[in-house]
Amino acid sequence: MDTILGDTLTPHGLAWLLLFGLPLTLAAAAAARPVRRMALPLAPWSMVPALAVAVWPLPAADYPWLLLGLRLGLDQTGRIFLSFTAFLWICSGIYAKSYLAEDPKRHRFFAFFLLTAAGNLGLTIAQDMIGFYLCFVLMTFAAYGLIIHQGSHAARHAGLIYVILAVFGEVLLVTAIIMIGLAGSGNVINPGQVVSQAVHRNLIMALLLMGFGIKAGAVPLHVWLPLAHPVAPTPASAVLSGAMIKAGLLGWLRFLPLGAAALPNWSALCLAAGLTAALYGVAVGLTEDEPKTILAYSSISQMGVMLSAIGIGLALPKSWPLVMATLLLYALHHSLAKGALFLAVGMTGAVHAGRFQRLFFRAGTLLPALAMAAAPLTSGALAKTAIKEVALLLPSFWRELLTWVLTLSALATALLMAHFLCFFWSRNETEHGHHQPAAGQWYSWTLLLIAVLSAAWLLTPMQLEPLRGKLLSPSWWWGSTWIVLLGGLLGWAQWRRTGRTGKMVLPAVPPGDILIPVATLLKQLHKVGYSAVQRVRGKDLMRQLLAWRTAVHLRPALLSILRGGEESISRWTAVGTLFFLLAMILLTIILS
Amino acid sequence: MTLHDWLPLLTLLTSLVTGLLIFFLAEQQVRLRTFLNMAGAIIKLALVAVMLWGTFHGQSYETRLPLLGQTDLVLRADALAMLFVGLSSLLWFLTTIYAIGYLEKSPHRSRFFGFFSICVTATVGIALAGNLLTFFVFYELLTLSTYPLVVHRGTPEALRAGGRYLVYTLSGAALLLLGVVWLYVLAGPIEFTAGGVLSHLEEESHRAALIAIFVLLVGGLGVKAAFVPLHGWLPSAMVAPAPVSALLHAVAVVKAGAFGIVRVVYDIYGIKLTESLGVTGPLAAVAAFSIIYGSLRALMQDDLKRRLAYSTVSQLSYITLGVAIVGPLSTVGGVVHLVHQGIMKITLFFCAGNLAETVGIHRISEMDGVAKRMPWTMTAFTIAAFGMIGLPPVAGFISKWYLGLGALQAGQGWGVGVLLMSTLLNAGYFLPILYAAWFKEPHAAWNEKGLKDWWESDWRLLLPTLATAVLSLTAGLLAGLPISPVGWVRMIVKQDYKLWTPFLGIP
Amino acid sequence: MNQPTWYALTGVILFSMGIHAFVIRTHLVRRILAFNIMGSGVFLLLVAIAHRIPGAAPDPVPHALVLTGIVVSVSFTAFGLVLLKKIYAKTGKTALIDPTESTSDQTN
Amino acid sequence: MTSNKSPTTEPASTRRPKSSSGAAGVREFAAEIGFARVAFNLLVVLLLGLLFWTVLDLPPQSAGLHAKVKAHMHVSGVASPITAVLLNFRGYDTLLEIVVLLLASIGCLILRDAPQSHPALAPGRPGKWVLDGMIHVLIPVMLLTAGYLLWAGDHAPGGAFQAGAVLAAAGFLLVLGNRMRFWRTPEWLLRLSLSFGMIVFVLVASVVTILTKNLLQYPENYAGILILLIEISVAGSIGCVLITLFAGHPPVTRTPAADQLWHSNDEPKE
Amino acid sequence: MLVSAGAVSTLVCVGGLLRRVWLTGPIRHTVGGWSSPLGIELYADGLSTALLAVTAVIMGTAGFYVVDAIRHKNGHTEGYDSDFFWPLWFFLWTTFNAVFLSRDVFNLYITLELLVLCAVPLLILAGSGAALIAGMRYLLVAMLGSMCYLLGVALLYAQYDTLSIPQLGALMVSSPGTAAAVVLMTLGLLLKTALFPLHFWLPSAHGNAPAAVSALLSGLVVKASFYLLVRLWFGAFAGIVSVGAGNFLGLLGSLAIIWGSLLALRQQRLKLVIAYSTVAQIGYFFLLFPLVIGGTQLCAPSDRVDWLTMAGSGAMYFMLSHALAKAAMFLAAGCIAHAAASDRLNEVIGIGRYLPVSVFAFALAGVSLMGLPPSGGFVGKWMMLKAAFATNQWWWAMVISLGGLLAAAYVFMVLKQTVVFRLVDIRFYEVPRGMQWAALLLALFSLLLGVSGQVPLDLLAVGSPFSPRAGQGWLP
């Protein structure tokens, strides 16, 4: 029997299931009317076991009976991903408890919140392809609930776009998975290797890039992100941009044949896409005035950087471990910093609190912004330098381009952060009426800030050890500080000009930029298609084919033939004639 | 004649006897009728369980009754038969509970339950049939016993629907009879044997006759398997009461057609002969066209049950697609979809019935915010809808997974394309319903009395719905286990049809 | 062309005349008469067959057949006439109304 | 469909319309009596031609079963071959034949009107004396001839049916002469008289079958007597049957329908 | 009481005969001890005993129906209570027994006459104007048919000096006389069996007769003349009749199926629907001729014998189950007409609630007519289809399945009426249970034929007339 049950009954097997199952059960409890009152306070703590496992990893466990052979476990990437995801989910959980304290629909929010958490945690620990895909789908569709929580028209619109893209993403992923399944005969544990040897490798890679690209916000497919973030409640958008976008990245790491074979053209593509995303994100971000939208665009640009890092990985299979380490570090840094920023946006009321809170609040928002802008001694600096180191390994042409673009993006991010801070702080003063942030919000935010400061340093993978020493050297300091100062200066300057003229420097681009033209195009197509269908349906070709109408015309004719025929046959002369006619026919037949 | 020989017949008789007894019950003897129904269902489940356990251990059950010259009535419980019998007897048990609740105060209940049990007898008979003649006998009995159920309400449109249903099914049956007789004349009294029996005929230059017979057989079965040109009766038959459309048009009647095609292709012609005759191509084309056309028509329907009906039309052709794409994996996918689609679709129909009965919703436009009033029903609906779309945890994903793998393995890439196209279309017509139910504010008339007591609707309507929803979820989740539908089908394909190539890692 | 053949021929002619009248005439009495003519035609034929060898005694079997035939046609004629009278008394017509008409159930 | 031809110009007496001069004649003739009739006439002519051909083609010199009948005459118990065939060799036919007669009489009895609706024929009709005279003279003679015919059947042409016919004639005379009140005969007597012949025949047949284990096989020496017994009873019941057939429905007295009969033409439209 | 005694005794005799034929094969019985050319010969083979058995069953059950109708004499009793009813009833029964046993051509002529003379009085018992006219028309048709038949007999006797069918079969040789005789006899019988062009008299006769009588008319009387035709074609005319002639009758049969069914769909009255359905089903029986006669050339000689017997017994099986089903249908129609006081279809709406048993009987009989599996009709249809394909005359198979569909059309047209949910609740007359159960009993018998399968088939195969005569086979 053990072949079927695998190590379900072993302690670590149960632990894994508990980790994944606890949020699920709580989500169900939150939805069920009678028990939801008890479920709510427990919500954030259900992710604690996940964090514990991240810290003390357990051996992998096999469940052959579960969904074509599920396998849960942690490797190095998984461990780091799990750590920052779990941490972020716990913080936003605590934050949400108090942030939505008097929101009537909070039970529904927590139900979806916990479902998404389960999905997110699940996909980090899932080793096999279908397990990963299962959690990915669960997370995607549960997140929909978070996005349209407010129920406003904008929320519904953002939700609709999100679902359409999610379904497309899901369909692409299914195809890719099926192809990989075929190549790797069934449910595959290490998809990366299999994809590298697979026959239709290019097609699979294209599907994977696009499928996970939608979730990770790669440029052409990022349109849902800037729409979703502003409408989602703050803890949701924090988790959305902090942890869930990273799921797309994790998907790339797990599925793409990184470190297996050198794929120059694919790496060129990723690099190009990544770099355009980095610059494009920031460019559009600068035109926004809504704090959350700005942060959304900054996430898009950061994800662009990570995509380029993957491009590097594709180019240099040998140095892939190093690139992997940088990527993990970068993801860790970005998720924590972005999470902190988003939570800060939710606490605008702090401005009216006591002096000390106001000061602490200002410093708190400044810190992650600096980290994002890769100010010295921050995790951002560590991540950015790591990326630069790695970029040097690339062949000549790409090396120059990359370093140049990286510095430019660093500058741009700094500018964006300054732009964000100016708008954010100015907005705080004007808007009063926001209630004081509750204690829960403060605690979770401070916890996150501590993580932003320390986590990157604590968890730096051993490959990047030498880098740490280098950072502390003064020469490096100057390199990064001038970028931050220049960015801040430019940001402040723009803020002052808009302060007076009330008009942005750059023309305002509506959020979801390229979506607008595409949407109008689709609407036209739909109108044309619908009228065509109506015309066809009007005539109902099918019924014509079955010729019901002609049968209807035929009936009276048929009826008259029948009646006339029967009457005429019934006359005696007719009978007699027929009688003898048949006789003669039979006679001829017999005699012939 | 040991017990083994009588078990298939006993399973058949349990519902037949109860049916006949119920006919003679007076309308008001409700308790006795319910007892009879329940007893019949439970005994049948027990017998089926025994046979399942037996077949799992390689035991063979066969009843042979002399019917007509050399061919006699053969009821054999092989693995494929047990799959369908298990499905139909389990779902009959649930649907009986549902029907008792649904038809609480309506007239003619004795007549209804009588024909209801006879219809299940026919389905079990079809499943257990050992040769084409037995299959045809029960196939016809099914048509006859379902007609009174479709016209149960006696309203003019019910009669029109019944008339249309008869025209389609009887002409289909006529085609099937011609095919069966011609095959009998050509190949003598043949039985269903795994791997097909007709291979010896091929070289005797009967190719044209074999192809013609195949067309006749599949044409006849196609009516019940709702291939597109022949599907007209299914949507109009939705006028029947909910339990009828649930069990019959989601499980019994339509599956009989699909099951028949599986029998014809695998147990009579054999997969190699079908391929060499070159009929699999057009069959796959018809299946693909029905999948797409069914989903497209479903998009346009506002009436909930008609949309589900068109979705059945498209989902059914998955089975034929799986059969038409020659290969072990697509076979597994096709055959297992027979079970999965049954469970999921019956949940959807139960929910539709529940909505219609409790809050009087028939059209999708009236479904705004219904989840507030009936959360449990809508959760079941959501699980089943996700299953139909093919999202992982629910059973639908498993069959799509195998179908996709099979299509690629057989080199028919377009198969995957069709699957994806239909996934999108499924999402297209299921997600708006979920969206409307869960996220829109209720404004319809039924909303004024909120959720009073603990049960949102009659427990007899709710429990079966939840049971089937859980069933479809576990069928998806526990796909690895040998006793799950997929495991069972894998065993069939491995043992009976010896198609299983070692290359596949899946146990 | 010996004598019995002549009788057979007249029998056959009578039969044809009978059949022609039976079908053409609508009046029931004429029909029944035509039936009798046909009968006598057949019986004449039978009698002619019985005695084809000039010298020998006639074959009794056809005679017996004729006798039985006559009895049967008598009973048919009688029953027909009685039925005719009854129809005439009820419908006032002496011919059969068109079948499809009569089935429209007007029992006049 | 067939245009109605005025009743008076009945086609010429010959049933077979000779093909008149040339196609014009035929067309005109056809138009006149409608296409179906013409077709029918042609077909009848064809039939006639066929029958002609068959009659001429019949084997001229076949003696039929005469020899066989003669061979078994000694056993049949009667002298006349016809009666032997009728009552012995093909006795089964005769039995069925009598049942036919009985059924015809039942048919008539079913259709008779209620007795009281027909007043007895008014006595004292003109010419009464001639009728009475005939009755007095003829009745005894008829009975005598019937008896002779019955007896002669044994060795010469005659027998039950002929005797029955003569008896019936006598009956008709009596009924017309108002001597026999047909309607007052009690029901049971009427039915017994009708079925008497059949009952005797069936009894004899069953007795004989039980004796000889073979339907209607008369034991050698009793054949003659049995046949005679059957003959007598059958003759009587045939007489009664024929009388019932006639008397069951008296000639129509003056009723409105009758008047209409005399005046209307007797050839209503087809 | 007397009635039941008579019925039971006949049933016992028929049962005894059945057992003897089943055990020992065909029985030959010379009447009056005279061998065939002179005397009359009675012959009981599988087919005739089967028909006798079916007649016994139908007559018995219909008798039970009438007894029950008389006992609950409320309102109209369709003439069952006339004191001449029972004599006619038993005479009809004896005539059936005579027809099915006799092998003598002239004797068959007399039995046919008897049949008519029993049927017409029964028909006009109801005394309605339409019944009288229908009776008259039936009488005239019978006169014409039997006179032609008699002429045929005369011609045959003139040529072969024998009246017994087997001897005729041996002696017959193709000559103008024989051809004329064959034609005349066949046409006479076609007229009496109401095959397609000559069917005008049947609907009005069966439509206006009392229910029990029309059950007998449709169920048995029509079949007697068909049985005679079968005896002649496969007994006497075996040497003369060619494939073309078989196909000719088959063609007429197919036209009958289509024409009868279409007209049945158009009728307003329930009994007329069933009457026209008889016209259609008669077409089915005539498909026997092309299948058996046509089959000899077209299928391999090796397995010819069993194909032929199968086709033959298949058609006969269909005829038997049709007899039972049609009688059941007419009795059910009788019950419905009795309840609704008129058998017009629009007045019978929603009667299903009041008369579940008779509607169920009607449905079961309908199933047998359509030839759907559980019923005897299916077994017959199955074997005829098999024969059609075996002798690769697939076009007859098409006709058979089309006939099934058309039958389904008019049966469900009627059933639809009974199921309709009727808002205004009109009172239906109370119908005695006995009548309903008689109808159901007959329908169940026709179903029993379907289930029993092999036993009746073996009975039919005993001395089957369809196997080609030793060595000679059929004329091409």
Side-chain angles (χ1 to χ4, degrees), chain A residues 4-5 32-34 64-69 105 108 112 129-130 133-135 137-138 141 144-145 148 156 163 167-168 170-172 174-175 177-183 185-187 200 533 537 540 542-543 546 548, chain B residues 164 168 228-229 231 293 297 300-301 329 372 375 386 389-393 397-398 400-402 404-405 408-409 416 420 423-424 427 431 435 438-441 451 454 476-482 490 503-506:
Chain A
I4 294 176
L5 277 182
R33 200 173 294 279
W65 53 275
L66 194 60
L67 200 72
L68 299 174
K105 289 194 279 192
R108 198 180 69 169
F112 283 114
M129 183 167 62
I130 294 189
Y133 179 66
L134 164 70
C135 305
V137 162
L138 180 63
F141 281 94
Y144 177 79
I148 66 161
R156 287 186 195 290
V163 160
V167 167
F168 267 105
E170 188 260 336
V171 162
L172 298 175
V174 161
T175 337
I177 282 177
I178 288 178
M179 287 175 150
I180 300 169
L182 180 67
S185 75
N187 193 351
H200 319 277
V533 163
R537 235 167 139 297
D540 202 336
M542 224 27 198
R543 185 159 295 119
L546 294 178
W548 283 113
Chain B
R164 203 161 170 204
Y168 277 94
V228 167
H231 70 293
Y293 181 82
R297 283 302 293 267
M300 298 180 222
Q301 305 299 332
L329 277 173
K372 285 186 183 37
F386 277 159
I389 299 170
L391 298 181
F397 169 73
I398 306 289
K400 273 209 171 109
W401 162 259
Y402 276 102
L405 276 181
L408 284 176
Q409 183 193 31
V416 180
L420 294 186
T423 318
L424 282 179
L431 289 186
Y435 172 74
W438 286 101
F439 296 107
K440 274 197 180 157
E441 288 319 312
L451 186 60
W454 168 245
L477 273 176
L478 311 180
L481 289 179
R490 272 204 301 274
F503 123 92
L504 274 169
I506 307 167

Side-chain angles (χ1 to χ4, degrees), chain D residues 98 102 188-203 229-238 240-241:
Chain D
I98 292 162
L102 177 63
W188 64 269
L189 177 62
L190 181 68
R191 292 202 191 140
L192 180 63
S193 63
L194 292 176
S195 51
F196 174 72
M198 192 199 75
I199 291 169
V200 165
F201 201 131
V202 164
L203 276 179
L229 176 66
I230 294 168
E231 288 248 340
I232 294 162
S233 52
V234 162
S237 74
I238 287 173
C240 302
V241 161

Side-chain angles (χ1 to χ4, degrees), chain B residues 44-259:
Chain B
K44 181 188 277 294
L45 267 180
L47 288 172
V48 166
V50 165
M51 282 209 283
L52 264 172
W53 186 254
T55 338
F56 186 68
H57 289 292
Q59 184 73 27
S60 90
Y61 302 93
E62 191 180 286
T63 323
R64 198 171 274 276
L65 303 167
L67 175 65
L68 200 63
Q70 297 89 338
T71 47
D72 33 20
L73 199 75
V74 180
L75 293 172
R76 184 182 309 118
D78 60 0
L80 187 62
M82 280 325 296
L83 184 78
F84 193 24
V85 168
L87 174 76
S88 50
S89 49
L90 180 66
L91 294 186
W92 178 45
F93 175 70
L94 293 174
T95 319
T96 322
I97 304 170
Y98 187 87
I100 293 168
Y102 185 84
L103 297 167
E104 195 56 40
K105 290 164 288 309
S106 64
H108 299 308
R109 269 174 297 168
S110 291
R111 181 181 74 178
F112 179 85
F113 281 107
F115 280 117
F116 199 72
S117 330
I118 292 178
C119 169
V120 179
T121 327
T123 326
V124 167
I126 285 174
L128 291 173
N131 60 14
L132 262 180
L133 177 64
T134 336
F135 182 85
F136 181 76
V137 166
F138 286 109
Y139 190 77
E140 279 292 1
L141 190 62
L142 187 62
T143 317
L144 285 179
S145 51
T146 35
Y147 175 73
L149 296 177
V150 171
V151 292
H152 178 67
R153 289 216 167 84
T155 53
E157 64 274 1
L159 286 167
R160 219 172 304 117
R164 203 161 170 204
Y165 171 71
L166 272 180
V167 166
Y168 277 94
T169 38
L170 282 181
S171 30
L175 282 179
L176 185 63
L177 180 61
L178 288 178
V180 165
V181 171
W182 193 349
L183 189 65
Y184 178 84
V185 163
L186 208 62
I190 39 158
E191 306 258 334
F192 289 147
T193 43
V197 273
L198 291 182
S199 43
H200 65 276
L201 273 179
E202 219 210 325
E203 59 282 352
E204 288 162 22
S205 74
H206 284 299
R207 278 185 69 83
L210 279 178
I211 292 174
I213 293 176
F214 188 84
V215 167
L216 278 175
L217 289 178
V218 171
L221 293 167
V223 169
K224 280 241 166 82
F227 285 155
V228 167
L230 315 167
H231 70 293
W233 59 276
L234 190 64
S236 65
M238 280 305 124
V239 85
V244 172
S245 44
L247 183 68
L248 300 190
H249 298 298
V251 175
V253 172
V254 283
K255 287 296 176 323
F259 184 77

